[in-house]
């Protein structure tokens, strides 16, 4: 039986931060499962097709792409409100799929409240099933060390533990940048993000993962104002209340 590597993704396009890891898992002959956990908002159908396209180019079987958010009505932006339902679903999924060897989840970094909510749910669900040692996080964006509206892309927080670098060839880096252009429904978002990704891959020849750490979810991701707080999308106290219910 093939081992399963599960990639938990809050939004349709989060896969862009872990393309090389997905490819490595496929090349190791593992079965890759990608689960999108929020509904994608008003453009959900288009966003789903965009992610199916990109993941298909990497080599993921379309039958292994699950749009959980649409199925369970998990709304983009307020995933923490559905924390308990999500955690219980993930726990059952892990329990029912004993061939899961590794789980990847967005980092706990204060960038987007949905990323952090998914991180906490995945960590606790994995812990309930004795799989927490096989769960890894990958950074997308955060505001640590930045001023004003600025933020860092794919910069791991040192407080999240040892950094594991996944090496990329020049071809890998160029291909990932080209994938960034395959989300036209998110044009406004990518106009902002794309220059940061170009800059990142000019300076770095790797993607990054870190093991998860249960004690971290009882702490604020980092000191100061989190990115989602600065943008007035959500606030830390409300988030903490949601995941405590």
């Amino acid at each position: 039986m093939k081992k399963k590597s599960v990639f938990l993704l809050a939004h349709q396009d989060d896969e862009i931060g872990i393309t090389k890891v997905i490819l490595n898992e496929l090349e190791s002959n593992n079965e890759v499962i990608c689960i999108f956990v929020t509904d994608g908002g008003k453009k959900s159908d288009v966003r789903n097709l965009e992610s199916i396209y990109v993941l298909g180019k990497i080599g993921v079987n379309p039958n292994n792409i699950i749009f959980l958010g649409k199925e369970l009505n998990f709304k983009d932006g307020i995933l923490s409100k559905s924390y308990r339902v999500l955690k219980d679903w993930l726990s059952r999924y892990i329990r029912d799929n004993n061939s899961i060897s590794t789980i990847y989840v967005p980092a706990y970094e204060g960038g987007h409240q949905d990323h952090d909510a998914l991180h906490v749910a995945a960590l606790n669900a994995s812990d309930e099933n004795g799989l927490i040692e096989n769960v890894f996080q990958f950074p997308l964006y955060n505001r640590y060390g930045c001023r004003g509206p600025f933020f860092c892309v794919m910069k791991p927080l040192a407080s999240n533990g040892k950094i594991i670098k996944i090496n990329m060839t020049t071809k890998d880096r160029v291909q990932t940048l080209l994938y960034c252009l395959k989300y036209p429904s998110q044009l406004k978002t990518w106009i902002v993000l794309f220059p940061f990704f170009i800059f990142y891959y000019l300076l770095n020849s790797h993607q990054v993962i870190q093991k998860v750490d249960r004690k971290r979810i009882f702490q604020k991701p980092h000191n100061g104002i989190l990115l989602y707080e600065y943008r007035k999308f959500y606030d830390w106290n409300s988030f903490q209340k949601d995941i405590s219910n």
Side-chain angles (χ1 to χ4, degrees):
M1 180 183 295
K2 275 189 176 184
K3 292 181 179 178
K4 291 181 180 178
S5 299
V6 177
F7 291 80
L8 299 175
L9 305 159
H11 310 109
Q12 296 86 334
D13 71 0
D14 287 348
E15 62 271 19
I16 209 69
I18 199 166
T19 52
K20 181 59 175 177
V21 181
I22 295 173
L23 182 60
N24 284 355
E25 292 287 1
L26 288 167
E27 290 179 344
S28 296
N29 201 34
N30 294 331
E31 184 177 5
V32 167
I33 312 293
C34 294
I35 303 176
F36 291 94
V37 177
T38 64
D39 65 356
K42 294 179 180 179
K43 298 180 180 179
S44 61
D45 291 340
V46 174
R47 294 188 71 184
N48 291 349
L49 290 173
E50 289 168 353
S51 284
I52 289 171
Y53 175 84
V54 170
L55 289 170
K57 286 295 183 181
I58 296 171
V60 178
N61 185 335
N63 293 325
N64 286 345
I65 303 173
I66 300 169
F67 295 101
L68 182 66
K70 191 167 186 179
E71 178 184 335
L72 296 184
N73 198 31
F74 292 154
K75 296 298 184 184
D76 189 346
I78 53 171
L79 183 59
S80 61
K81 297 291 185 185
S82 302
Y83 164 75
R84 180 61 58 183
V85 177
L86 172 60
K87 192 273 293 181
D88 289 345
W89 188 94
L90 290 173
S91 188
R92 288 193 301 271
Y93 183 83
I94 294 168
R95 185 171 61 249
D96 294 343
N97 290 270
N98 56 17
S99 57
I100 294 175
S101 61
T102 314
I103 295 175
Y104 299 91
V105 66
Y108 186 71
E109 60 183 344
H112 194 295
Q113 63 276 14
D114 288 348
H115 298 172
D116 288 359
L118 175 54
H119 182 102
V120 175
L123 189 151
N124 284 328
S126 301
D127 193 33
E128 289 177 356
N129 290 276
L131 198 63
I132 195 168
E133 291 299 318
N134 295 41
V135 182
F136 295 86
Q137 57 186 316
F138 60 96
L140 287 166
Y141 49 83
N142 63 72
R143 191 174 177 268
Y144 182 66
C146 299
R147 294 185 178 183
F150 296 102
F151 57 92
C152 300
V153 167
M154 295 176 65
K155 184 177 181 179
L157 298 179
S159 54
N160 279 341
K162 180 182 177 182
I163 294 169
I164 303 168
K165 295 181 179 180
I166 309 300
N167 293 329
M168 302 178 75
T169 65
T170 298
K171 180 181 178 182
D172 292 330
R173 292 147 71 190
V174 171
Q175 186 61 70
T176 296
L177 288 173
L178 291 175
Y179 289 148
C180 293
L181 304 177
K182 301 301 181 182
Y183 303 94
S185 72
Q186 299 303 296
L187 180 61
K188 290 182 180 179
T189 298
W190 279 102
I191 285 175
V192 175
L193 286 177
F194 192 54
F196 288 92
F197 273 82
I198 292 175
F199 185 70
Y200 176 86
Y201 283 118
L202 283 174
L203 297 180
N204 299 281
S205 59
H206 57 262
Q207 290 177 346
V208 167
I209 58 174
Q210 296 163 286
K211 293 194 74 171
V212 299
D213 183 349
R214 196 166 192 281
K215 70 175 182 291
R216 284 283 289 132
I217 66 173
F218 301 104
Q219 307 164 353
K220 195 171 184 178
H222 62 75
N223 293 331
I225 300 174
L226 305 177
L227 184 60
Y228 65 74
E229 291 181 311
Y230 183 87
R231 291 175 166 177
K232 301 188 186 305
F233 289 166
Y234 218 63
D235 67 89
W236 166 249
N237 289 332
S238 296
F239 179 85
Q240 276 291 96
K241 184 178 179 181
D242 291 344
I243 65 172
S244 298
N245 291 333

